[in-house]
Amino acid sequence: MTVKEIVLSCLEQNRGETLSGQQLADAAQASRSAVWKAIHLLQQEGHQITALPRRGYRLEPESDRLSAQAIRQALDPGYQDIPLILLNTIDSTNQEAKRRLLDHAKHRTVIFSEEQTQGRGRLGRSFYSPACTGLYFSAILLPNLPLEQVGCLTVAAANAVCRGLEELGVKQPGIKWVNDIYIKGKKVCGILTEGSSHWETGVLESAVVGIGINVSTLEFPGELGQKAGSVFLAPGLRSRLAGRVLSHLFALTEPVQPAALIEEYKQRCIVLGKTVRYQLQGKEHQAMAVDINEAGNLIVEENGARQVLSSGEISVRLLPDSREI
């Protein structure tokens, strides 16, 4: 690691505490001057580091800049050496992940960006990704997975996000089929899984799992203002959330266990037991959502007949006096 990385790692491990310049120099096996230069660079990058004369340096608890060091500290031990790429801005982390796959990126490489200019969701929709108020990342997986289990990756990601949020104190995150996380009636997270398969073997060779979480975004453009919300974590927790979500995602997909994944997904799903509206062959239907099968497909029932929905957009209708989500 560079001097800058070692200094930041030490400060992250002792967030809110003051470390002397000599302590940091000893840890980095560098001069005090090199430590000072590293601190200056970190401050320029947006890390809130206070320099205290004759005492040392302190990473403030409210400092909320993403850092590879903080993310690694939140990862489970088996994943702490995965490749992490942190960017200031990018068109889309999924697009960048696919570009890096062309250059043979390693399994579990993760691309983060503080901002996306062309964030993407399902069905070609955009995902609003303003700077420094969300958590936007894409994980590259080389799962060697049967094609019939491809939907399990999105299921695993949804479960992983809910687990990570709960670990950080967020109560009752729910999953709206297929790939959205809701809290108190507001969408706070979207997931986009894209894959590449080998047509001869019928195996998914590579996948990109993109996750966007609104952490502290206050204002959303246009119609998003009515349905989008944020999780509002305490400052400084974005990196920890990233590490916890990734740990759960990797654990849930190595190996994929469809029955267990779907059971957890169903327990968190806000759709089951509700009336849903969906499009099929150009015609709008309303039906009761009754189950989710092991492929992650939604099963609905209308006038005694059941239909399996593998994709498409649905609207969940709650009680008559509740608004639609």
Side-chain angles (χ1 to χ4, degrees):
M1 290 197 295
T2 65
V3 172
K4 187 179 73 169
E5 291 171 338
I6 294 172
V7 167
L8 181 56
S9 181
C10 291
L11 292 172
E12 285 283 6
Q13 291 174 26
N14 299 275
R15 181 180 282 254
E17 300 178 10
T18 302
L19 298 181
S20 71
Q22 191 60 53
Q23 285 177 294
L24 295 172
D26 291 343
Q29 296 184 331
S31 67
R32 296 276 294 272
S33 175
V35 168
W36 181 87
K37 291 178 181 178
I39 292 290
H40 185 62
L41 288 172
L42 291 168
Q43 290 171 327
Q44 288 183 322
E45 291 175 1
H47 297 280
Q48 295 182 38
I49 300 173
T50 300
L52 303 168
R54 294 184 295 277
R55 293 182 57 194
Y57 305 97
R58 179 177 66 223
L59 180 64
E60 299 297 343
E62 63 271 18
S63 182
D64 202 29
R65 183 76 176 180
L66 288 176
S67 77
Q69 289 74 21
I71 294 168
R72 292 190 194 283
Q73 289 173 19
L75 286 165
D76 287 343
Y79 310 126
Q80 290 177 349
D81 292 329
I82 63 173
L84 299 178
I85 300 164
L86 276 66
L87 306 170
N88 286 324
T89 185
I90 196 69
D91 52 355
S92 157
T93 58
N94 264 34
Q95 289 295 97
E96 179 64 14
K98 288 190 286 185
R99 289 190 287 263
R100 294 191 180 244
L101 266 173
L102 294 176
D103 289 332
H104 309 290
K106 293 181 179 180
H107 179 50
R108 301 188 193 135
T109 296
V110 188
I111 316 294
F112 291 87
S113 185
E114 289 283 9
E115 176 187 33
Q116 295 183 114
T117 59
Q118 298 176 38
R120 298 167 55 238
R122 288 181 64 250
L123 305 178
R125 293 187 173 92
S126 62
F127 187 90
Y128 183 56
S129 313
C132 302
T133 67
L135 186 56
Y136 321 119
F137 62 95
S138 297
I140 293 173
L141 303 178
L142 306 177
N144 201 33
L145 194 68
L147 288 181
E148 60 268 22
Q149 295 182 4
V150 168
C152 290
L153 294 181
T154 297
V155 170
N159 287 340
V161 171
C162 289
R163 288 185 183 187
L165 289 171
E166 289 170 343
E167 287 181 351
L168 270 67
V170 178
K171 296 181 179 180
Q172 296 184 320
I175 302 169
K176 178 189 173 188
W177 187 84
V178 182
N179 63 332
D180 295 333
I181 308 301
Y182 273 68
I183 295 174
K184 296 181 179 179
K186 294 283 190 176
K187 176 182 173 179
V188 300
C189 171
I191 298 164
L192 177 62
T193 302
E194 300 178 283
S196 176
S197 61
H198 194 289
W199 66 274
E200 289 184 337
T201 62
V203 168
L204 182 71
E205 295 182 328
S206 65
V208 172
V209 180
I211 297 175
I213 304 173
N214 304 326
V215 177
S216 60
T217 309
L218 295 174
E219 296 183 0
F220 298 87
E223 296 180 358
L224 278 180
Q226 299 298 316
K227 66 178 183 179
S230 293
V231 298
F232 294 115
L233 296 176
L237 291 181
R238 284 193 305 150
S239 293
R240 177 160 183 78
L241 177 61
R244 298 315 305 144
V245 171
L246 285 170
S247 292
H248 290 300
L249 174 64
F250 298 148
L252 289 171
T253 54
E254 298 173 358
V256 168
Q257 297 180 324
L261 283 175
I262 294 299
E263 184 59 33
E264 179 177 348
Y265 185 91
K266 287 163 64 172
Q267 291 175 3
R268 299 182 182 279
C269 187
I270 61 175
V271 169
L272 295 179
K274 305 293 193 305
T275 299
V276 301
R277 183 176 64 207
Y278 64 97
Q279 295 279 341
L280 185 64
Q281 297 179 343
K283 183 179 178 181
E284 185 173 284
H285 296 260
Q286 290 188 16
M288 180 70 70
V290 295
D291 202 3
I292 297 171
N293 65 20
E294 284 201 3
N297 300 325
L298 183 69
I299 301 174
V300 298
E301 186 172 293
E302 182 180 6
N303 298 324
R306 292 197 168 191
Q307 176 75 38
V308 177
L309 305 181
S310 59
S311 63
E313 195 71 7
I314 63 171
S315 295
V316 180
R317 287 186 174 177
L318 302 179
L319 298 174
D321 59 346
S322 298
R323 63 182 177 81
E324 193 175 89
I325 65 173

